[in-house]
Amino acid sequence: MVNEIIFGDYLKQLRKKRGYTLKQLAELSGVSDSQISRIELGTRGVPKPENLKKLAEALDVPPESLLEKAGVIDRADSAFEDAAMVAGALNPAFYENDQELRDYLEAVELKKFADMENDEFKGRYLQRLWLTAQTYGIEISADNFTPSEFIDGLLTLDGRTRMLLMLELGRIEDAWEQEATVLHLEDLLKLPNIAYGNRLLTQNDRQRIESMLHLLLKGEA
């Protein structure tokens, strides 16, 4: 079962990375700002696949990435590709268009790499990117390997192989997103409708929990 609060926080982090306000994302995606706000707070539930795809397009992320994060599709499932197709996340024609695919990769993937520039995960991301390229038959030297070379190599493949490689790329990026995104307990305590057992937490409960956490973790930072 998908944790709606975690998914909401993930969506919020993506929106902030793009520098969008709720209203701006709403205008770009066609999903109302009030609905996006409720999704981010974890009170709206997981959006329908069609809204996830709209949000993914507006945020410049692969649709299958949001669909997987929301629990609509599962990469661990052997039928992942079929599920992604059914959900409409993958458009085979897109992967056949050299220029459209290059434009997407250069606009999105190179920006992600730039975001990693000062991140310790960059080296591991680059290594996995190179190993994945080798697996799919892209012969690129490990010396001074760059995402630009990866893009050039990907475009030498046929459309179906490009699509499968892009799915693998999404898995690598998800690992980076998880390591790069920090979820703060104090932010969770500010969310509405948080319960423990069958009882909703009151403001007093939240303050007591925060005080206990402070005492418990004092000096650990």
Side-chain angles (χ1 to χ4, degrees):
M1 182 176 179
V2 175
N3 186 312
E4 295 170 358
I5 291 178
I6 292 177
F7 176 76
D9 189 70
Y10 176 75
L11 182 65
K12 182 178 181 180
Q13 293 295 331
L14 285 178
R15 175 174 64 80
K16 288 190 171 182
K17 281 185 178 180
R18 299 294 182 269
Y20 296 150
T21 63
L22 285 169
K23 185 174 181 180
Q24 288 172 326
L25 180 56
E27 291 174 349
L28 289 168
S29 66
V31 180
S32 71
D33 55 349
S34 60
Q35 185 174 344
I36 295 172
S37 177
R38 292 197 299 274
I39 294 169
E40 290 185 355
L41 290 171
T43 60
R44 171 63 174 77
V46 175
K48 294 179 180 179
E50 54 264 35
N51 283 339
L52 286 169
K53 286 180 283 182
K54 290 177 182 178
L55 290 168
E57 182 178 356
L59 291 166
D60 280 332
V61 297
E64 62 269 21
S65 178
L66 272 191
L67 285 162
E68 181 187 17
K69 197 74 175 180
V72 177
I73 54 178
D74 184 357
R75 287 183 197 278
D77 189 340
S78 60
F80 168 70
E81 184 184 343
D82 291 337
M85 286 289 194
V86 171
L90 303 178
N91 177 9
F94 169 74
Y95 297 92
E96 297 285 353
N97 188 315
D98 290 1
Q99 191 57 53
E100 187 173 353
L101 184 55
R102 178 181 288 280
D103 289 345
Y104 169 81
L105 288 167
E106 290 181 346
V108 177
E109 300 306 327
L110 293 184
K111 182 182 184 303
K112 287 182 180 178
F113 184 73
D115 289 342
M116 297 177 192
E117 198 65 40
N118 297 316
D119 194 292
E120 63 178 9
F121 187 59
K122 175 185 171 183
R124 282 173 286 163
Y125 172 83
L126 198 56
Q127 182 183 41
R128 289 193 61 190
L129 196 60
W130 178 78
L131 289 172
T132 303
Q134 300 298 304
T135 302
Y136 281 83
I138 301 176
E139 296 297 332
I140 304 175
S141 170
D143 296 331
N144 300 317
F145 174 65
T146 66
S148 293
E149 290 177 294
F150 176 85
I151 292 173
D152 290 339
L154 184 147
L155 291 171
T156 65
L157 306 174
D158 63 82
R160 178 179 174 77
T161 306
R162 292 176 182 181
M163 182 171 67
L164 295 175
L165 180 50
M166 287 289 287
L167 293 179
E168 290 295 328
L169 181 61
R171 298 181 71 174
I172 297 173
E173 289 170 354
D174 285 346
W176 170 64
E177 291 281 1
Q178 290 172 16
E179 292 200 21
T181 301
V182 177
L183 189 63
H184 294 279
L185 281 173
E186 58 266 33
D187 290 336
L188 286 178
L189 288 172
K190 295 175 184 176
L191 295 174
N193 301 324
I194 298 179
Y196 182 77
N198 295 318
R199 187 171 72 84
L200 284 174
L201 299 184
T202 65
Q203 184 60 36
N204 186 48
D205 291 331
R206 296 164 192 255
Q207 290 173 351
R208 288 170 59 200
I209 292 170
E210 193 161 6
S211 295
M212 286 188 286
L213 286 171
H214 178 73
L215 289 173
L216 180 64
L217 301 175
K218 188 177 181 180
E220 296 291 328

